[in-house]
Amino acid sequence: MSSRKPVIAGNWKMNTTPAEGRELAAAIAAGSKNHPGVEVIICPPFTGLAQAADAVSGSAVEVGAQNVSSEESGAFTGEVSVSMLAGLATHVIVGHSERRAMYCETDEAVAAKAVTAHATGLTPILCVGEDLETRKSGDAVAAVRGQLRASLDGYTGWGSLLVAYEPVWAIGTGAAASPQQAQEIVGELRQELSSLAGADAAEAIRILYGGSVNATNIGPFIDRPDVDGALVGGASLKPDEFLRIVEMTARLY
Ligand code: 13P
């Protein structure tokens, strides 16, 4: 726990039709208005951004995209540019491990996306995290610090950045990292941010934990000094569960 405002963000991944997303977003907007001390962000798929943004308008809930191109426009079939997100999203997830692993996104590509997003006023939610093999080999700290540094190459928007530590082995497995493991890496990430951005900027950046977070296990993560919230996958699709995570976070701050 820290003096930084906590963030609970939901990554809906490739789920929800526009109509389902509207309903989910409306439920989250209604349920989270009693917890103004928690920043709530929902990240629907591209096709549901407009409906979700409409459903949360007038509330404090913010909307993020799950990906963005680093290109402005042109012959990039299937891609979505930052300017296409204008008015629909304030945030964008970059470098999620599923995109890194399944769509071959390199640190360099992720950094280009973060830089482009920031340049047009979007706040990147930059994801980093080690895979199981790296964890087992004892190299997690160095790997994740290196990933963060390389994924922020050229980035200068330190006042507008969220970082999410998502160990690959904890995503969608039901086997979350322990709060101690999360704190260890998140603390290291803050040190890395300090060397990149300066101590004051690093102190202000919110760093989230992600990987099998639910309403039952959120508390001990939030209690850690450097963990400022969570990026939630599966549980973000269930409004009651997601709102309980928000409520637990509000209670602990
Ligand atoms: P789960 O919460 O389903 O493990 O997903 C985490 C995640 O990948 C959020 O981006």
Side-chain angles (χ1 to χ4, degrees), residues 20-58:
E20 288 165 350
R22 179 190 288 279
E23 206 174 312
L24 181 53
I28 289 167
S32 56
K33 68 170 183 281
N34 298 329
H35 306 297
V38 181
E39 187 170 340
V40 177
I41 306 169
I42 54 173
C43 302
F46 287 129
T47 50
L49 283 174
Q51 287 82 353
D54 185 48
V56 303
S57 74

Side-chain angles (χ1 to χ4, degrees), residues 2-223:
S2 69
S3 55
R4 294 174 288 271
K5 183 172 183 173
V7 179
I8 299 297
N11 175 7
W12 297 359
K13 307 193 180 185
M14 198 174 73
N15 297 290
T16 68
T17 63
E20 288 165 350
R22 179 190 288 279
E23 206 174 312
L24 181 53
I28 289 167
S32 56
K33 68 170 183 281
N34 298 329
H35 306 297
V38 181
E39 187 170 340
V40 177
I41 306 169
I42 54 173
C43 302
F46 287 129
T47 50
L49 283 174
Q51 287 82 353
D54 185 48
V56 303
S57 74
S59 82
V61 174
E62 297 163 308
V63 176
Q66 296 175 18
N67 184 28
V68 74
S69 173
S70 57
E71 303 291 341
E72 263 307 324
S73 64
F76 301 100
T77 301
E79 292 291 293
V80 170
S81 72
V82 283
S83 49
M84 294 172 185
L85 296 176
L88 297 176
T90 52
H91 293 69
V92 60
I93 297 173
V94 294
H96 192 280
S97 64
E98 288 152 16
R99 297 219 54 90
R100 291 176 185 268
M102 291 187 266
Y103 301 96
C104 305
E105 285 189 14
T106 60
D107 289 337
E108 192 183 7
V110 173
K113 289 175 186 223
V115 168
T116 306
H118 174 68
T120 52
L122 286 168
T123 298
I125 305 173
L126 169 64
C127 300
V128 293
E130 82 285 1
D131 60 18
L132 187 58
E133 202 183 320
T134 308
R135 165 67 51 178
K136 282 185 172 159
S137 69
D139 296 334
V141 168
V144 178
R145 282 184 74 139
Q147 204 180 24
L148 183 79
R149 175 172 285 269
S151 301
L152 285 171
D153 190 31
Y155 196 78
T156 53
W158 306 117
S160 168
L161 175 69
L162 293 170
V163 173
Y165 167 55
E166 299 207 301
V168 175
W169 46 272
I171 295 178
T173 59
S178 71
Q180 292 86 331
Q181 286 171 322
Q183 167 58 37
E184 186 202 1
I185 300 277
V186 169
E188 294 277 347
L189 291 175
R190 200 172 298 287
Q191 282 179 29
E192 192 65 37
L193 287 169
S194 182
S195 79
L196 290 169
D200 289 352
E203 253 325 286
I205 293 172
R206 273 87 53 86
I207 309 181
L208 318 182
Y209 166 75
S212 298
V213 168
N214 56 45
T216 309
N217 67 12
I218 182 69
F221 287 107
I222 294 294
D223 262 345

